């Protein structure tokens, strides 16, 4: 640090207001530095808050904090000045003074001697001595003398990048480019000034970046707090919905239990009546079986030979599965209710809108690439619509063109970052949408799966939505999709699909590993005799407000 500071001049650490070395340096948003008190006084004395140097005006007064980096540099610079002054005034003494040596005023490179003011008089008066090379007093005079010729190092050899004396310039360095050390030093100082300016700019750029990062952190904190509050409201609404469903379920179960008890009472009463009747018949049979009146037995036999009329109770039972069935029904209704709440509740709708708004920040302009389109596909002139034309067009084949799969890619490929686009699928009965890796085979049949470098969802038979995993995943959607949003986070290995109309999530491929460029992928599928003639349309992304 000390060696770097020694290359900087006092001007670099000078406040342009007080013209002194910085005290408590602060930085303005435009990148200039001032003493804190100087800047405050400047702003307090004016109705406008602007930079005293570049005059940039600020809408509101920036909060001033001491720039610890520049403050540290300033302290080092002040210390180096003190050390330099101390060395110049205390360490170098006159070589001629015999007693009570006095601080030297100049050093002579020809005499290799340092002189105080009194003993320097001869060099200032004598004509021969006036030609000697004088300099500010230094202790190490030997370092300023050529070791070969014992002459002052007055010249700088640009070829060998070293200091030489005049004898050197006439011998070993005769053919080299040499200039006075003062000239070379001046040019080096100019270069150092430019380097210093670059370093200071780098410092300012990094300080601004720190401010940006801190601002982003503060903004993210505010957004997080709001999201947390929104999430709490969302789950409170869901809990209320679940509690209502629970209360309804318990009420239904209680009613069913009471109904079962009433049914049981009625059945028991009826059974008891039949038992009473059967007991009466049993008594009659017992009595008649011991009678000696044969004529009477034969007369009553027809009415006693058969049991009294009763109900067949074999299949009569109380339904013990009512609770299980009730629970299943309640859970089904709860699922439907939660789905409805997700759309109806303003808190949840706001949460979904916030999420969709964030994703839409990564919207890109996607255009279809005609060089990849299957010959039977018809593309609009602006590259935003495509449909199946039934007839193969007479267009040249190329390695990029698909020859079996009815699909086309976007012109723009992506190998990093995040991107999002939307596609209108209204009126179609079949289609495929997603992304595909660049190296996928364009010739022959394509297998729709991540293992083969394709991440997509599909519609078949008007209402069958699937995610093309291996095996495929059937998607349960509440309504027919009108517009689909596709979002990709390359580094996270994420491909997500959204119902734009409802701002709701459809499906995500997670934990993927992208190692090459990927492209948007579109397939309008077969025309199907006009049933699927509607085009796929890449639409502009309208950000939710």
């Amino acid at each position: 640090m000390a060696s770097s500071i020694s290359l900087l001049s006092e001007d670099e650490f000078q406040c342009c207001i007080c013209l002194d070395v910085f005290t408590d340096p602060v930085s303005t948003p435009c990148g200039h530095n001032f003493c804190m008190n100087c800047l405050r006084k400047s702003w307090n004395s004016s109705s406008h808050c602007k930079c005293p140097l570049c005059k940039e005006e600020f809408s509101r007064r920036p909060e001033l904090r001491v720039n610890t980096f520049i403050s540290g540099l300033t302290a080092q610079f002040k210390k180096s000045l003190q050390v330099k002054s101390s060395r110049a005034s205390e360490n170098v003494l006159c070589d001629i003074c015999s007693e009570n040596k006095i601080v030297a005023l100049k050093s002579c490179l020809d005499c290799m001697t340092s002189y105080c003011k009194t003993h320097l008089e001869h060099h200032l008066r004598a004509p021969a001595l006036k030609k000697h090379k004088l300099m500010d007093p230094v202790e190490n005079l030997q370092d300023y003398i050529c070791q070969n010729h014992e002459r002052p190092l007055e010249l700088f050899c640009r070829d060998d990048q070293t200091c030489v004396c005049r004898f050197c310039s006439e011998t070993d360095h005769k053919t080299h480019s040499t200039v006075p050390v003062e000239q070379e030093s001046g040019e080096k100082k100019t270069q150092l000034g430019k380097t210093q300016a670059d370093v200071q700019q780098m410092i300012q750029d990094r300080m601004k970046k720190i401010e940006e990062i801190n601002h982003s952190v503060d903004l993210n904190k505010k957004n997080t707090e709001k999201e947390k509050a929104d999430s709490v409201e969302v789950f409170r609404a869901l809990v209320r919905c679940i509690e209502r469903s629970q209360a309804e379920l318990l009420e239904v179960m209680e009613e069913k239990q009471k109904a079962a008890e009433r049914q049981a009472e009625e059945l028991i009463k009826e059974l008891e009546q039949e038992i009473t009747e059967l007991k009466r018949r049993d008594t009659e049979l017992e009595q008649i079986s011991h009678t000696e009146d044969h004529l009477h037995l034969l007369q009553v036999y027809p009415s006693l030979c058969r049991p009294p009329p009763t109900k067949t109770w074999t299949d009569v039972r109380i339904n013990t599965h009512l609770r299980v069935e009730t629970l299943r029904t309640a859970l089904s209704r709860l699922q439907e209710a939660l789905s409805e709440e997700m759309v109806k509740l303003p808190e949840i709708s706001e949460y979904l809108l916030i999420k969709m708004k964030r994703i839409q920040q990564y919207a890109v302009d996607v255009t279809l690439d005609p060089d990849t389109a299957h010959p039977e596909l018809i593309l609009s002139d602006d590259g935003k619509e495509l449909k199946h034309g039934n007839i193969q067009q007479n267009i040249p084949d190329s390695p990029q063109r698909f020859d079996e799969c009815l699909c086309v890619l976007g012109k723009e490929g992506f190998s990093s970052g995040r991107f999002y686009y939307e596609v209108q699928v209204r009126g179609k009965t079949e289609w495929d949408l997603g992304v595909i890796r660049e190296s996928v085979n364009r010739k022959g049949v394509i297998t729709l799966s991540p293992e083969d470098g394709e991440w997509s969802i599909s519609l078949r038979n008007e209402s069958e939505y699937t995610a093309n995993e291996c095996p495929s995943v059937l998607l349960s959607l509440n309504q027919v999709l009108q517009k689909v949003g596709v979002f990709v986070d390359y580094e996270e290995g994420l491909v997500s699909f959204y119902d734009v109309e409802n701002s709701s999530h459809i499906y995500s491929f997670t934990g993927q590993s992208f190692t090459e460029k990927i492209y948007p992928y579109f397939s309008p599928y077969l025309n199907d005799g006009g049933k699927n003639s509607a085009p796929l349309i890449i639409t502009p992304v309208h950000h939710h407000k």
Side-chain angles (χ1 to χ4, degrees), residues 253-529:
M253 294 176 72
E254 191 68 26
E255 288 296 328
K256 288 186 177 294
Q257 174 62 26
K258 290 179 180 179
E261 291 176 356
R262 288 194 298 271
Q263 181 188 16
E265 290 176 359
E266 293 174 358
L267 293 175
I268 291 172
K269 184 177 180 180
E270 189 175 352
L271 283 167
E272 288 176 344
Q273 291 176 351
E274 289 191 359
I275 289 172
T276 300
E277 182 64 26
L278 289 171
K279 285 183 176 181
R280 186 183 63 79
R281 178 61 60 89
D282 180 63
T283 300
E284 292 178 351
L285 290 173
E286 179 65 23
Q287 291 175 351
I288 200 68
S289 64
H290 294 87
T291 185
E292 295 296 330
D293 188 346
H294 302 296
L295 179 61
H296 177 67
L297 186 149
L298 293 175
Q299 289 175 340
V300 298
Y301 176 79
S303 61
L304 296 177
C305 67
R306 292 187 299 274
T310 56
K311 183 188 292 185
T312 303
W313 293 92
T314 306
D315 297 328
V316 176
R317 59 175 54 88
I318 300 296
N319 189 357
T320 58
H321 300 288
L322 282 176
R323 293 182 181 178
V324 176
E325 294 300 324
T326 301
L327 180 59
R328 289 175 180 171
T329 303
L331 290 175
S332 178
R333 290 178 179 175
L334 175 60
Q335 184 176 5
E336 294 176 2
L338 290 177
S339 299
E340 293 176 0
E341 291 294 329
M342 291 292 287
V343 178
K344 291 180 180 179
L345 286 177
E347 296 90 348
I348 299 178
S349 298
E350 182 180 355
Y351 174 79
L352 295 174
L353 287 175
I354 291 172
K355 186 174 182 181
M356 181 61 73
K357 184 177 180 181
R358 286 181 181 164
I359 293 171
Q360 289 178 328
Q361 291 177 352
Y362 301 99
V364 294
D365 184 17
V366 176
T367 305
L368 300 173
D369 184 1
D371 293 336
T372 65
H374 185 278
E376 293 183 11
L377 295 183
I378 300 175
L379 276 60
S380 63
D381 294 337
D382 62 358
K384 298 295 184 181
E385 299 184 20
L386 73 153
K387 60 183 179 180
H388 181 221
N390 282 325
I391 301 175
Q392 184 155 327
Q393 303 172 80
N394 185 20
I395 53 178
D397 191 16
S398 67
Q400 295 79 26
R401 190 178 304 283
F402 292 90
D403 63 354
E404 288 289 339
C405 180
L406 290 170
C407 64
V408 62
L409 304 185
K411 283 184 178 180
E412 302 80 7
F414 301 89
S415 56
S416 65
R418 301 169 178 172
F419 64 93
Y420 172 82
Y421 60 94
E422 295 178 353
V423 184
Q424 179 179 303
V425 296
R426 183 180 294 115
K428 295 194 66 61
T429 58
E430 297 181 309
W431 48 259
D432 301 325
L433 286 177
V435 292
I436 196 169
R437 68 185 180 195
E438 184 177 30
S439 63
V440 72
N441 183 22
R442 313 291 176 91
K443 309 303 179 184
V445 178
I446 295 178
T447 303
L448 301 181
S449 70
E451 287 75 8
D452 294 300
E454 196 269 356
W455 298 265
S456 67
I457 61 173
S458 300
L459 170 65
R460 297 290 184 268
N461 302 321
E462 296 188 41
S463 60
E464 296 176 7
Y465 294 98
T466 57
N468 296 314
E469 293 271 17
C470 187
S472 61
V473 177
L474 185 64
L475 303 176
S476 178
L477 303 180
N478 293 328
Q479 60 185 32
V480 176
L481 294 175
Q482 304 296 319
K483 186 182 292 186
V484 177
V486 183
F487 173 71
V488 177
D489 188 327
Y490 193 96
E491 281 73 22
E492 289 294 326
L494 173 69
V495 182
S496 295
F497 299 86
Y498 294 88
D499 181 348
V500 178
E501 299 295 323
N502 291 333
S503 300
S504 59
H505 176 256
I506 299 174
Y507 189 80
S508 288
F509 295 87
T510 59
Q512 306 300 308
S513 178
F514 302 130
T515 58
E516 59 183 274
K517 188 174 288 188
I518 56 178
Y519 289 81
Y521 165 84
F522 310 84
S523 174
Y525 220 67
L526 295 169
N527 183 283
D528 193 19

Side-chain angles (χ1 to χ4, degrees), residues 135-148:
M135 61 179 295
D136 290 334
V138 292
E139 285 186 335
N140 53 336
L141 278 171
Q142 197 65 33
D143 294 343
Y144 294 82
I145 299 300
C146 176
Q147 300 300 312
N148 295 327

